[in-house]
Amino acid sequence: MNKDEANRFLLKLSNATKTFIQSRTLLESNLFPVRAYMAVGLYNLFENEYDLLRKVINKKKPEKLGAECKTVNSEINQKTQFSTIVGYLVGREQVIEDGNIDEYGDKEYDAEKIMFLLDYWTRFSKAYRNDGQILVNDSQGAISILNKRDVKRFNDDLLDNDAKNSENLLKLAAVIQSYLYLLNYESRGGVFNHGPYQVDDELLVFREFIHLQKNTYKTTLNDDFHYKNITMTLRLRDVDVNLNEVGTLFVDPINYADKITGFNIYSSNSDPKPINVDDINKVSNLLRNRILYLYRDINRWDRRDKIIAGALQYSDLTCYAKAANIDYRHGLSKGVEERYLPKMMRQVTHEFMNKFAETGKLFTLIE
Amino acid sequence: MGWVKIGEGLNALFSSDAEVEGTVKEINSYSDSMKLYEEEPQNLVVLLRTAGVTVLAPIISLIKGIICTSGGTSSHLAIISREYRIPCIMAARLDHDDDLDKKRVRLLLRQQRGYVYLQEAQNE
């Protein structure tokens, strides 16, 4: 990728990122200092991501990594790709806004890093996505990654629907997401959807919920929950299905329980095993208990704890290191901990975040 | 008693229509939520100033309607309201913004918009 190509890509990403942020606005929460921890996390991505992904790519080409991620419950997916690359770019803009970009090398090195990351994402996407696109917006709201054989396998495995099961299934999806938002400090970590895959005149959608057993930065949860990941397959008729850049599912109409013509629910990773339908409500109740425990525990944390927890969540590159079998110890880098964490302890929002609402390009072009 | 329109915003349920009545409780903190968790009120409509969803985590199944004065249709609060199919109005602009606690309201969601009505007698 040359500089002109990279700059065209940056302009396109500016628009896509603004569109994404404007549909949700910059998030704030009554429980977590989201804007502050996001800023710290993105500084951390900016400081660490390039070096790590260089190591990853030296061991595994983007094309191979992309092909390996065409599975159910892949930890690297469209959401992690978008968040990781855009996160780096926002972190870079924070540093530019602070007036510190020169400390990270000259303009040529800055350009080299951007070209590398965008080239990596392009090559990964060509192998990962069935249509080879990079942004979801370029695919009319679809994220198609599974091959035809896998789609057929899951479609053949669908159970017939009845009203009670579909209601319970959708309730479980709702409870899992409440749990995961809390477990991940108000971020979308652990939630991803892909599809829709056309099956005859109906649509097959995959709903993935991962890392359900993980602990928080400070909380050790008990081991009564036996599902590491949960995946739901839904076959739908007479609905509109759309996804955004991070794989959030939009189904219209929202009361789509009676539009489900087949479903299944699985646990585990790449070789999913079905969960007994009679256990769906039991799983929901277990998660409700965990939500209450977590909620009470997180309330005892101070602002610093919450910023560190969220920043670590936002800058976690472990899945990339794991994919290439590289030693990697996730944490805040020294510079982030000593300079940017104290800064964001004093601020609600980083100054750069105001630019999401302004006209003009979001990301500084390379020279 | 009639109803008077006091505000409107975005229909978080997109084009799906919905209607719900309930009593408003503004939620700003962990304590607000835990109090409601203990009380288990009927017909609860929550008013929020921020579009995060974690503050509602233990009480979400009690909630009949949501009014949020910020955010958009992709905010976490809107996403979860759709998952639970709770009528929800995002980015609401309200005439009686600071005086809704314990008041009875009706949320009317039509196409892309959501409307908030206050039961008239309470407004006198």
Side-chain angles (χ1 to χ4, degrees):
Chain A
M1 181 172 285
N2 61 38
K3 287 182 181 174
D4 286 342
E5 288 169 331
N7 280 333
R8 279 197 294 277
F9 199 160
L10 284 176
L11 288 172
K12 189 174 178 175
L13 273 180
S14 284
N15 293 333
T17 305
K18 276 192 174 180
T19 302
F20 173 65
I21 295 294
Q22 282 161 7
S23 69
R24 53 174 266 186
T25 73
L26 272 175
L27 187 62
E28 199 46 276
S29 153
N30 284 313
L31 220 54
F32 297 98
V34 177
R35 296 182 196 189
Y37 81 52
M38 196 187 290
V40 177
L42 300 182
Y43 278 124
N44 205 41
L45 270 185
F46 177 69
E47 290 206 350
N48 295 298
E49 182 175 319
Y50 171 75
D51 289 342
L52 179 78
L53 284 183
R54 266 276 178 217
K55 286 182 196 162
V56 170
I57 295 319
N58 284 343
K59 285 194 79 173
K60 191 173 277 185
K61 288 192 178 351
E63 292 81 2
K64 183 165 169 44
L65 188 58
E68 285 177 2
C69 293
K70 292 171 75 69
T71 65
V72 170
N73 288 342
S74 171
E75 290 186 45
I76 300 173
N77 56 36
Q78 182 69 28
K79 179 186 68 175
T80 51
Q81 289 288 101
F82 184 84
S83 308
T84 303
I85 306 292
V86 170
Y88 175 92
L89 295 174
V90 175
R92 171 177 173 256
E93 294 299 329
Q94 290 178 173
V95 172
I96 292 171
E97 184 77 24
D98 293 344
N100 296 333
I101 191 71
D102 292 344
E103 295 176 24
Y104 292 89
D106 60 15
K107 286 185 165 51
E108 206 52 47
Y109 185 51
D110 176 57
E112 179 193 316
K113 290 192 287 184
I114 298 277
M115 285 188 289
F116 166 78
L117 290 172
L118 298 181
D119 179 63
Y120 153 73
W121 193 9
T122 305
R123 290 165 60 192
F124 174 95
S125 298
K126 281 189 182 356
Y128 171 65
R129 300 262 298 267
N130 288 340
D131 60 10
Q133 297 288 349
I134 300 164
L135 298 176
V136 180
N137 200 32
D138 291 333
S139 307
Q140 289 74 50
I143 305 173
S144 175
I145 58 165
L146 296 181
N147 63 38
K148 285 180 181 167
R149 190 187 65 239
D150 284 340
V151 171
K152 183 178 183 313
R153 178 164 64 95
F154 281 104
N155 185 59
D156 290 346
D157 203 26
L158 292 171
L159 305 172
D160 288 337
N161 186 34
D162 66 45
K164 187 176 154 228
N165 279 337
S166 59
E167 282 296 336
N168 288 340
L169 194 73
L170 295 184
K171 267 186 206 157
L172 175 60
V175 175
I176 294 174
Q177 285 171 93
S178 291
Y179 170 68
L180 283 173
Y181 276 118
L182 190 58
L183 189 65
N184 294 296
Y185 326 114
E186 195 75 64
S187 85
R188 292 168 209 244
V191 180
F192 182 61
N193 304 279
H194 56 95
Y197 302 91
Q198 191 78 38
V199 182
D200 303 324
D201 56 349
E202 298 184 337
L203 302 173
L204 187 63
V205 173
F206 287 74
R207 311 208 65 184
E208 298 178 356
F209 309 106
I210 67 171
H211 298 317
L212 296 167
Q213 293 172 323
K214 79 169 196 177
N215 292 310
T216 72
Y217 159 71
K218 293 194 78 174
T219 315
T220 303
L221 289 154
N222 65 30
D223 58 1
D224 64 350
F225 192 76
H226 304 300
Y227 304 102
K228 185 179 172 192
N229 304 321
I230 288 178
T231 309
M232 295 176 184
T233 49
L234 302 175
R235 185 166 159 161
L236 303 163
R237 66 172 158 78
D238 301 332
V239 295
D240 287 327
V241 172
N242 274 287
L243 298 147
N244 67 8
E245 298 297 342
V246 294
T248 302
L249 178 68
F250 302 92
V251 181
D252 194 11
I254 63 130
N255 291 311
Y256 62 91
D258 63 346
K259 310 288 187 190
I260 300 173
T261 59
F263 74 96
N264 213 332
I265 176 168
Y266 305 90
S267 178
S268 181
N269 283 327
S270 54
D271 184 23
K273 303 274 189 302
I275 294 175
N276 189 330
V277 173
D278 296 332
D279 286 344
I280 289 177
N281 287 341
K282 196 172 83 184
V283 177
S284 290
N285 288 335
L286 278 171
L287 288 173
R288 284 193 191 95
N289 292 338
R290 287 169 92 82
I291 285 171
L292 194 58
Y293 181 84
L294 266 178
Y295 195 70
R296 287 179 166 138
D297 191 64
I298 287 169
N299 183 53
R300 290 191 275 269
W301 299 8
D302 62 20
R303 179 177 166 82
R304 184 184 164 85
D305 286 334
K306 290 179 180 178
I307 291 179
I308 292 172
L312 290 172
Q313 169 69 28
Y314 248 71
S315 57
D316 194 352
L317 298 167
T318 308
C319 58
Y320 292 96
K322 220 162 86 178
N325 202 20
I326 288 171
D327 284 337
Y328 170 72
R329 191 169 171 191
H330 180 48
L332 297 183
S333 61
K334 195 162 174 271
V336 171
E337 198 163 341
E338 290 179 354
R339 174 152 63 168
Y340 299 127
L341 177 60
K343 170 185 164 81
M344 295 315 299
M345 281 289 287
R346 298 187 298 269
Q347 292 182 209
V348 173
T349 308
H350 191 280
E351 296 82 352
F352 172 71
M353 299 291 179
N354 296 327
K355 295 203 174 166
F356 284 108
E358 293 172 7
T359 54
K361 66 181 187 302
L362 193 61
F363 299 128
T364 306
L365 303 186
I366 57 173
E367 294 176 23
Chain B
M1 282 186 292
W3 297 88
V4 59
K5 185 179 150 197
I6 60 160
E8 66 178 276
L10 303 170
N11 177 0
L13 310 187
F14 300 130
S15 59
S16 298
D17 292 349
E19 192 171 338
V20 66
E21 281 181 37
T23 304
V24 176
K25 179 64 199 167
E26 182 166 344
I27 297 195
N28 292 308
S29 67
Y30 167 89
S31 307
D32 292 337
S33 274
M34 287 311 286
K35 191 163 180 284
L36 292 169
Y37 177 78
E38 300 297 336
E39 292 172 355
E40 295 188 15
Q42 303 291 304
N43 302 318
L44 173 65
V45 172
V46 294
L47 171 63
L48 293 157
R49 307 289 173 186
T50 60
V53 73
T54 51
V55 75
L56 300 179
I59 59 165
I60 193 92
S61 58
L62 296 173
I63 296 170
K64 301 292 180 240
I66 299 171
I67 306 165
C68 182
T69 57
S70 63
T73 54
S74 293
S75 296
H76 296 176
L77 182 63
I79 292 169
I80 290 292
S81 77
R82 285 192 289 275
E83 294 290 344
Y84 281 90
R85 285 159 284 164
I86 300 169
C88 172
I89 299 173
M90 299 299 296
R93 297 286 168 262
L94 302 169
D95 299 338
H96 297 269
D97 195 51
D98 54 353
D99 192 25
L100 277 183
D101 217 40
K102 296 182 183 166
K103 298 283 174 65
R104 192 157 180 83
V105 294
R106 174 184 287 169
L107 309 187
L108 197 64
L109 278 61
R110 293 288 182 268
Q111 298 183 351
Q112 309 300 317
R113 304 294 292 170
Y115 305 95
V116 184
Y117 292 83
L118 181 68
Q119 201 167 45
E120 212 166 21
Q122 305 169 96
N123 199 26
E124 291 168 356

